[in-house]
Amino acid sequence: MSNTFSLGATAAFGLEGVVANELKRLGYEAKGFLGGAAFSGTLLDAFRANLWLRTADRVLLYAARFRAETFDDLFEGVRAAAWEDILPRDAEVYVTGKCARSRLMSVPDVQSISKKAIVERLKAAYHLNWLPEDGARYHIDVHIHENEVAVTLDTSGAGLARRGYRTLNAAAPLRETLAAAMLLVSPWRTALPFYDPLCGSGTLPIEAAMIALDRAPGLNRPFDMEKWGCADKAGMEALRSEARERFEAAKRSRTVEVFGSDRDERVLRLAAAHRAQAGLNGFVRLERKDLREAQVPVPRGAIVTNPPYGERLGDEAEARQVCAELGALLRRSEDWTLTAISSRRDFEKDFGRRCTKRRRVYNGRIECEILSFEPKSERVAKERRSPRPGPKR
């Protein structure tokens, strides 16, 4: 199917611009909005976005947008969408709903009326008296906010954070999409060595190696849209095969320096298992080491890490101590940058230096900041280049 649709990649608060930039790098015209980024394309474009987006939560297809203040408005607006262009005659229509600050606030009624409108449209289009609904499930969401209705189909299924490699549980893991966002907004670039001295079950080092080796985050997982009757299965498989070939070619040709360490032997075993499941054995080096003893493995690179906040993992005293130790690590690593995520307001005070860049995000429901610190040598050089302040008047 070559029809062009309005599409959206949803994102956690603070990451909308990161997702929009990812879409632009994929070649799409994208515009950020609160909660994601909008773009347009075919169903194959939606599949490609699912395959390659590292920081988005889901890819949605917009079937209809309209204003509704009555249930009649809702029924007619949903029925006006060309559902036969997407849904086959045997589609299982599954409708969810959300309502906020609108005249229509009964979610069960919104769901049932919307489903009835879709069914009536399909019955007319396929000349049926009833829909069997014994085919693939199509998840349709009706979101009403201030009487504005957005009707979307979820093309992803499980959230895009589910890469498929992290199957073992550790305490307070960092969501894969947020880990990738930390890497993309940090000073780290793929030509630089990477080090996480608090790597836990390995999410940050694995995401870094995936970026460095051009591995599509969705390479080894399914998406709901692959089950759709209108799906171009051959085209989707071609895109997946191309992504697999790019990954294999990068593994043969690229030198990747990705390091992780942790003092906990148990979580390092989880990290090693996740590394294997991601197909990254030989590309992520793991070592048991206490943060106080950590040394950067090469002269120049980037540290990116997720220290304890004193909320979900560890207590406040431990969080302060870890923060101070990270500051000490950067001070003895003159040509390295350091990026960390934290909800602690005193992070910079305990770290011993003000950050040079910050971005507010949410880790689950915890409001956090991603803070980046430049190398000491670059900071000193900038201070030497800056003009001295004139005499006070």
Side-chain angles (χ1 to χ4, degrees), residues 54 59 65 118 167 180 239 298 323 326 332 336-337 363 365 374:
R54 301 183 187 277
V59 176
R65 296 183 198 182
I118 296 168
T167 58
L239 288 173
V298 292
C323 188
L326 285 174
R332 61 180 182 265
W336 282 67
T337 63
N363 184 4
R365 295 188 177 184
E374 65 187 9

Side-chain angles (χ1 to χ4, degrees), residues 191-268:
L192 286 173
F194 169 92
Y195 178 40
D196 180 1
L198 299 164
C199 70
S201 59
T203 304
L204 275 164
I206 289 170
E207 291 292 325
M210 288 169 61
I211 293 171
L213 290 167
D214 202 21
R215 181 197 185 278
L219 184 62
N220 293 331
R221 56 151 289 173
F223 304 106
D224 268 11
M225 66 180 302
E226 294 178 84
K227 305 172 188 174
W228 294 0
C230 57
D232 179 356
K233 293 181 172 56
M236 292 178 183
E237 183 52 38
L239 288 173
R240 198 184 291 275
S241 295
E242 178 194 12
R244 190 172 293 111
E245 289 169 7
R246 285 170 58 172
F247 177 43
E248 294 300 326
K251 287 198 293 184
R252 290 190 299 268
S253 62
R254 296 185 185 180
T255 299
V256 175
E257 295 182 287
V258 174
F259 305 89
S261 66
D262 202 283
R263 69 182 182 182
D264 189 336
E265 183 67 33
R266 185 187 68 85
V267 297
L268 283 175

Side-chain angles (χ1 to χ4, degrees), residues 42-196:
T42 65
L43 289 181
L44 278 181
D45 291 314
F47 179 83
R48 185 165 172 254
N50 275 307
L51 189 63
W52 282 102
L53 288 177
R54 301 183 187 277
T55 61
D57 291 332
R58 296 179 183 278
V59 176
L60 304 179
L61 184 155
Y62 286 85
R65 296 183 198 182
F66 55 91
R67 185 172 181 84
E69 297 187 7
T70 68
F71 285 118
D72 285 341
D73 293 340
L74 177 66
F75 181 87
E76 295 301 331
V78 174
R79 186 172 63 172
W83 293 105
E84 64 275 11
D85 288 348
I86 308 168
L87 275 59
R89 60 195 297 131
D90 63 349
E92 179 188 352
V93 179
Y94 177 73
V95 180
T96 57
K98 304 182 192 72
C99 303
R101 300 177 185 176
S102 299
R103 291 195 175 183
L104 305 181
M105 290 297 291
S106 170
V107 172
D109 287 337
V110 166
Q111 291 173 234
S112 62
I113 289 170
S114 298
K115 177 164 182 176
K116 181 179 179 182
I118 296 168
V119 168
E120 291 301 316
R121 173 79 185 213
L122 293 177
K123 283 164 57 177
Y126 291 119
H127 308 290
L128 299 172
N129 292 323
W130 64 282
L131 287 184
E133 293 197 68
D134 55 2
R137 172 177 283 196
Y138 292 74
H139 181 184
I140 298 161
D141 184 72
V142 181
H143 182 225
I144 308 178
H145 181 257
E146 295 182 348
N147 301 319
E148 297 295 331
V149 184
V151 186
T152 60
L153 284 88
D154 180 5
T155 72
S156 304
L160 297 183
R162 303 285 184 88
R163 319 287 208 216
Y165 68 79
R166 200 171 76 182
T167 58
L168 304 171
N169 293 325
L174 190 65
R175 195 168 69 251
E176 294 90 331
T177 47
L178 182 54
M182 285 184 65
L183 294 164
L184 294 180
V185 303
S186 78
W188 177 72
R189 297 296 178 264
T190 57
L192 286 173
F194 169 92
Y195 178 40
D196 180 1

